[in-house]
């Protein structure tokens, strides 16, 4: 079993839909990170959180430490949101990346 | 803005060739990292460096070596490329010296190099 799992693996949505991507982990963590990778490879940081909830524009990230689960929500999705979304957790001395969720938003 | 650049976006090499992948960051960051990314496996850490001439093995160092002669530059070397090293290679850096990633620091990634070994 992977230490960090994401669901769904692939997601296709219509423009304007509300999207949720889930991340579950099995290790104790000090921080969780959501990353976005656009076609072509470049990765950018979206959120880093260790508790509660963070919001930036149409993106919302939540984390439940007790349940070892985090969600990334995208409201009013747009084709430019099409990307791979990666969850990463920081264990004591290393970072473990999830396999990613590939999102495609259709106009 | 922090900028992390990688020497090539696409690279095609033959089995047995020596391959150099270069990474440069312009923000005086202490830590630099090399990852490879494969479908279904996520990013996996190959090597990282927390100072000039210092290096630490990551999760999958076999078949790779690294060099950090200057603070801003971190090179990944494939001594004798093999087909199972065909992958996307990503470089990253962080300001902090703390482990790999503190709770307040973030990693800045380069655009990636897609290496194909024939």
């Amino acid at each position: 079993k992977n230490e960090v799992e994401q669901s769904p693996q692939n997601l296709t949505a219509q423009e304007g839909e509300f999207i949720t991507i889930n991340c579950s982990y099995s290790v104790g963590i000090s921080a969780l990170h959501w990353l976005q990778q656009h076609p072509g490879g470049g990765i950018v940081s979206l959120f880093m959180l260790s508790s509660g909830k963070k919001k930036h524009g149409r993106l919302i990230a939540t984390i439940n430490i007790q349940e070892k689960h985090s969600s990334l929500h995208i409201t009013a999705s747009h084709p430019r949101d099409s990307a791979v979304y990666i969850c990463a957790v920081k264990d004591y001395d290393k970072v473990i990346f999830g396999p990613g969720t590939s999102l495609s938003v259709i106009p | 803005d922090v900028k992390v650049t990688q020497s090539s976006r696409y690279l095609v090499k033959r089995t047995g060739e020596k391959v150099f992948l270069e990474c440069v960051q312009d923000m005086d960051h202490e830590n630099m990292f090399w990852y490879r990314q494969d479908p279904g496996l996520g990013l996996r850490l190959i090597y990282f460096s927390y100072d000039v001439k210092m290096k630490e093995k990551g999760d999958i160092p076999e078949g790779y070596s690294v060099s950090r002669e200057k603070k801003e530059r971190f090179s990944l070397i494939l001594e004798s490329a093999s087909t199972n090293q065909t992958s996307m290679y990503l470089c990253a850096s962080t300001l902090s010296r703390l482990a790999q990633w503190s709770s307040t620091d973030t990693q800045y990634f380069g655009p990636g190099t897609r290496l194909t070994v024939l």
Side-chain angles (χ1 to χ4, degrees):
Chain A
K1 189 176 191 298
N2 294 331
E3 292 170 300
V4 180
E5 296 188 326
Q6 291 184 234
S7 63
Q9 186 177 353
N10 297 287
L11 180 58
T12 300
Q14 288 292 131
E15 183 174 357
E17 282 187 20
F18 180 84
I19 290 164
T20 297
I21 298 170
N22 297 297
C23 174
S24 298
Y25 51 91
S26 58
V27 295
I29 70 167
S30 59
L32 182 142
H33 204 172
W34 280 102
L35 305 161
Q36 180 191 56
Q37 185 175 29
H38 277 284
I43 294 176
V44 297
S45 167
L46 296 176
F47 296 103
M48 182 178 284
L49 63 165
S50 54
S51 64
K53 176 179 173 178
K54 286 191 176 180
K55 185 176 189 292
H56 181 69
R58 295 180 295 106
L59 302 177
I60 303 166
T62 64
I63 188 168
N64 185 318
I65 297 293
Q66 287 74 28
E67 294 188 3
K68 297 189 174 181
H69 181 269
S70 176
S71 293
L72 176 69
H73 305 286
I74 304 175
T75 61
S77 59
H78 190 275
R80 64 174 174 267
D81 297 326
S82 298
V84 175
Y85 292 84
I86 300 168
C87 164
V89 300
K90 184 177 182 297
D91 196 351
Y92 175 68
D93 62 352
K94 68 175 186 177
V95 174
I96 307 166
F97 293 85
T101 293
S102 179
L103 171 65
S104 179
V105 181
I106 300 169
Chain B
D1 279 353
V2 175
K3 194 169 181 184
V4 180
T5 57
Q6 295 182 227
S7 51
S8 305
R9 293 300 304 273
Y10 300 93
L11 207 53
V12 180
K13 296 291 182 180
R14 295 208 173 273
T15 301
E17 280 192 74
K18 190 169 185 175
V19 182
F20 292 88
L21 302 181
E22 302 283 337
C23 175
V24 177
Q25 50 91 7
D26 66 357
M27 284 300 290
D28 204 34
H29 280 181
E30 301 284 351
N31 287 348
M32 296 187 74
F33 309 85
W34 274 107
Y35 296 94
R36 64 177 284 177
Q37 183 181 31
D38 301 288
L41 296 177
L43 280 87
R44 293 178 291 167
L45 182 64
I46 304 171
Y47 268 98
F48 70 100
S49 168
Y50 55 86
D51 202 352
V52 175
K53 297 192 186 295
M54 306 301 288
K55 61 184 179 184
E56 293 285 343
K57 292 181 180 179
D59 299 320
I60 50 164
E62 296 78 20
Y64 303 95
S65 62
V66 290
S67 172
R68 194 167 181 199
E69 297 296 319
K70 294 184 178 181
K71 192 175 185 180
E72 67 271 18
R73 188 179 297 269
F74 191 34
S75 302
L76 180 69
I77 304 155
L78 287 67
E79 295 288 343
S80 178
S82 63
T83 55
N84 64 12
Q85 292 179 309
T86 291
S87 186
M88 169 70 91
Y89 290 88
L90 288 145
C91 174
S93 70
T94 57
L95 177 62
S96 172
R97 266 183 176 256
L98 297 173
Q100 188 179 341
W101 218 354
S102 77
S103 60
T104 56
D105 201 358
T106 189
Q107 288 197 328
Y108 294 88
F109 286 85
T113 296
R114 188 166 294 280
L115 172 67
T116 302
V117 182
L118 301 175

